[in-house]
Amino acid sequence: MKYMLLMQFSAAFDEFPMIYTWQPEEVQAHIGFMRDLNAKLAAAGELVEVQGLGGPEQAKIVRAGADGRPVVTEGPFAETKEFLAGYWIVDVESPERAVEIAALASTAPGPGGRPLHMPIEVHPVMSAPPQDM
């Protein structure tokens, strides 16, 4: 069963300070934790893909206009306090294992080495609909 785990950060809360405000050694510890987690998942055959995402200031929202042409809204989005910082796609034996991995990822260290306890959304990756649909 494949799951997408979405790492969220929030600019709205002090417990999630933006990473660019951290000390260099805190950033290194955070990235080291993520690399170790990813290596363990890969060694267990559970990691399908992992990517960090650019911040909200680099994001765009795209909609089709009335003529079908793209209408692009550039970030940052003042009304958005939470944003996606990265994701994993894992292939695991059970939903419980996906939740276990999400909980572990949530403990990545932040400032002062304290676990961030950041929210990680867990979504099943749906298969394609039957061909006769």
Side-chain angles (χ1 to χ4, degrees):
M1 300 170 64
K2 289 184 184 172
Y3 291 86
M4 179 176 261
L5 312 178
L6 301 167
M7 180 187 347
Q8 297 179 359
F9 255 71
S10 174
F13 303 108
D14 290 337
E15 70 260 28
F16 298 116
M18 301 302 286
I19 199 165
Y20 59 80
T21 67
W22 302 6
Q23 296 299 312
E25 62 274 10
E26 295 168 336
V27 173
Q28 291 170 355
H30 183 81
I31 291 170
F33 176 95
M34 292 300 182
R35 283 188 179 142
D36 289 347
L37 172 61
N38 298 339
K40 289 174 186 171
L41 294 173
E46 295 175 316
L47 185 63
V48 175
E49 181 177 355
V50 61
Q51 296 293 330
L53 301 174
E57 68 281 354
Q58 297 171 307
K60 297 175 180 14
I61 293 179
V62 180
R63 291 182 175 86
D67 60 0
R69 296 177 61 188
V71 176
V72 179
T73 305
E74 306 275 339
F77 309 106
E79 71 281 1
T80 301
K81 292 178 177 60
E82 294 82 26
F83 62 93
L84 293 175
Y87 69 90
W88 295 262
I89 296 179
V90 296
D91 192 351
V92 294
E93 292 296 319
S94 69
E96 293 80 15
R97 176 63 180 144
V99 167
E100 182 179 281
I101 293 168
L104 179 58
S106 177
T107 66
R114 292 180 308 278
L116 289 171
H117 299 293
M118 62 194 145
I120 308 287
E121 289 184 34
V122 178
H123 293 265
V125 175
M126 305 305 289
S127 61
Q131 290 186 347
D132 60 349
M133 290 192 79

